[in-house]
Amino acid sequence: MPATPRSSARDDQIRAASLLLACLDDDKAETVRILDDANRAPGGLQGLLAALAASTIELLIGTVGEDGARKTLNMTLLDASMHEGTDDDRPE
């Protein structure tokens, strides 16, 4: 049985950058279109999430260095664990 083709890393990076721009512009229709497109592509959502994570790490390391990035992410985990079970910060 042949493997199911999945979206390419290039497609994932394009979707990730496009999604970030749509969010920056507060373009809800474009955000939904990008997410729907990723959802239809085999492995598209997983690839999109991986590309978003990779770009976030690059940005963090470029801004605050590897140690600062690690501290920031650990603080995010700590903050999330302190708010566990609440939906106060959940987007609408």
Side-chain angles (χ1 to χ4, degrees):
M1 179 184 286
T4 303
R6 67 167 274 2
S7 64
S8 70
R10 181 182 152 284
D11 291 340
D12 296 336
Q13 290 174 331
I14 290 169
R15 279 192 195 102
S18 298
L19 179 61
L20 291 172
L21 285 170
C23 290
L24 184 64
D25 294 339
D26 197 27
D27 187 339
K28 291 176 182 25
E30 183 66 4
T31 298
V32 168
R33 188 198 66 72
I34 293 163
L35 291 172
D36 284 347
D37 180 52
N39 193 40
R40 283 191 301 275
L45 286 176
Q46 295 89 339
L48 172 62
L49 289 172
L52 285 170
S55 65
T56 300
I57 294 302
E58 281 184 36
L59 178 62
L60 278 170
I61 290 173
T63 304
V64 296
E66 188 171 340
D67 288 341
R70 191 170 302 281
K71 286 177 186 174
T72 299
L73 294 170
N74 281 322
M75 288 177 62
T76 300
L77 289 172
L78 177 61
D79 184 58
S81 70
M82 292 174 60
H83 293 92
E84 193 171 326
T86 66
D87 289 336
D88 296 340
D89 296 328
R90 190 170 286 182
E92 301 275 326

